[in-house]
Structures are given as C-alpha cells and as structure tokens.
Amino acid sequence: MSKIGIFGGTFDPIHNGHLITAQSVKEIRNLEKIIFIPAYISPHKQNAVASSAQHRLNMLKIALDDIPFFEYSDFEIKQHTISYSIDTLRELKKSYDEIDLIIGYDNIFQFHTWKDPDEIFKLANVVVLKRKSSHPIDYVDKYVESAHFVETRGIEISATDIRNRVNADLPIYYLVPEKVLEYINKHKLYKDN
C-alpha cells in the first residue's frame, strides 16, 4: 500500500523552508515519499509573473537530487495551462493507493473556491500545514472540519523575500540550497535589469 504526499506550488524558487516542512510532514504522516509538483500557472496567482517553468523545474531538480524520499513531477508544467489540483490528483491516483495533498494553512479557508473541492477530498487526505505562529481558526466549513492539520517545524522563509533580496543584491545564503543559489546567480534570475 503506497502512501505518498504531493506538495504543489510555484516554487519560485524552491527554498529551505519548503524542504524542512516537507521532511517534517513525511515523518508526521508516515509517508513513503513526497512529490513536489510545480504549477504551470497557479489558479490563485494568475496575474503574478513567475520565472519560466523550466527554470523553476530545474531548481527543483537540483534541490531534490540527493534526497531519497523527495521526487518532483512535471505533470502540471507539461499541461501548459492553469494547474488545478483535481487534475493532478486524478492522474496520480492511477499510480498510488493513498495520497496526502499538502496545502498551506491559509488555503484551507479558501478551499470552497477550488475546482471540484468535494472530489479532491474523495481522492486525497487534505493535509494542512500549521505553525505555532498560525492565526487561530476563525472560519469553519466542511472542508476545514475534514482536513488533517499538522504542526510542522516551520521556518519563516518566503520566496517573495528571496526574489526581492536577489534583486536588491542582498545575500540569500541559508535560505535556499547551495546548488539553487548557484543556479539563480548563473542564470541571473530575479534581477529587474
């Protein structure tokens, strides 16, 4: 019986906060592995300008390269359209018995706006990342009630902050894996000019 986690996002760039959180969820939820799935276009960030899908995928590859229980999938990127979790779950359900869909804390309170939220709950366990610093639950619906909340070892790192720091010529040591740092520098990512 294979039980895996899927961790979606823009990953622009993948950073140590993602990796530490995912490792923590793997242990808490007793998962075989976690598959990172970069969105081609996130339905919740349609107007945001992200780095090219290829750069984001390349950074994921090098960040996960030596970690035996982490993988990545280019399923959503290959679709070349807005990425919906339900489509990804339908595809992965063909290969795996049990799937944990790992989402950020704030996402569960917007879950009713997701595409086919009821079917998502039929196909996967929805696992919500909670931190000690998370605001209390002030809104409860059937999705909040049905989700699994896990308190992970959280490190406050934000991809937006990383992009802003690079653009301002500030160092990003310890925020991203070393090979990702080299990649960002080599390809001059996150520079306005």
Side-chain angles (χ1 to χ4, degrees):
M1 175 89 176
S2 56
K3 185 180 177 191
I4 61 140
I6 60 174
F7 193 7
T10 314
F11 300 119
D12 191 19
I14 174 105
H15 56 64
N16 289 338
H18 294 133
L19 300 171
I20 291 165
T21 299
Q23 179 173 273
S24 190
V25 172
K26 179 197 176 291
E27 291 165 7
I28 294 166
R29 296 286 299 165
N30 198 17
L31 304 174
E32 217 173 278
K33 63 181 174 185
I34 289 183
I35 304 173
F36 288 71
I37 305 181
Y40 182 69
I41 299 169
S42 165
H44 309 288
K45 297 182 182 173
Q46 289 181 44
N47 301 323
V49 178
S51 298
S52 79
Q54 199 53 57
H55 278 315
R56 293 184 291 113
L57 191 60
N58 290 344
M59 288 188 282
L60 256 180
K61 283 180 190 172
I62 56 181
L64 307 179
D65 194 27
D66 301 328
I67 307 169
F69 47 83
F70 286 166
E71 287 177 16
Y72 65 89
S73 162
D74 61 359
F75 173 75
E76 291 186 359
I77 282 177
K78 285 195 307 207
Q79 306 307 305
H80 285 279
T81 183
I82 293 172
S83 305
Y84 293 106
S85 298
I86 187 63
D87 301 328
T88 307
L89 283 170
R90 286 183 186 127
E91 182 60 30
L92 287 172
K93 203 65 184 162
K94 297 172 187 170
S95 308
Y96 297 103
D97 303 319
E98 197 176 340
I99 298 174
D100 277 8
L101 173 67
I102 302 160
I103 66 171
Y105 187 72
D106 293 333
N107 289 333
I108 192 62
F109 305 106
Q110 306 300 322
F111 209 80
H112 58 280
T113 68
W114 287 35
K115 185 178 172 192
D116 300 333
D118 293 326
E119 194 183 339
I120 290 176
F121 268 91
K122 287 189 186 112
L123 294 176
N125 307 306
V126 175
V127 174
V128 181
L129 303 172
K130 191 172 184 294
R131 301 221 171 106
K132 286 186 173 62
S133 61
S134 297
H135 57 81
I137 294 174
D138 52 1
Y139 167 82
V140 175
D141 62 9
K142 64 180 179 177
Y143 304 117
V144 174
E145 284 179 339
S146 305
H148 303 269
F149 287 81
V150 294
E151 195 167 295
T152 57
R153 177 184 280 122
I155 293 213
E156 298 300 322
I157 300 178
S158 122
T160 307
D161 179 50
I162 290 170
R163 294 193 300 272
N164 291 340
R165 288 180 68 83
V166 171
N167 193 39
D169 288 322
L170 293 168
I172 56 167
Y173 299 115
Y174 319 116
L175 299 178
V176 297
E178 204 170 319
K179 290 177 186 167
V180 172
L181 172 66
E182 289 166 11
Y183 186 94
I184 289 169
N185 291 338
K186 180 179 171 189
H187 295 277
K188 298 182 173 50
L189 299 184
Y190 314 127
K191 293 286 193 187
D192 282 345
N193 45 23

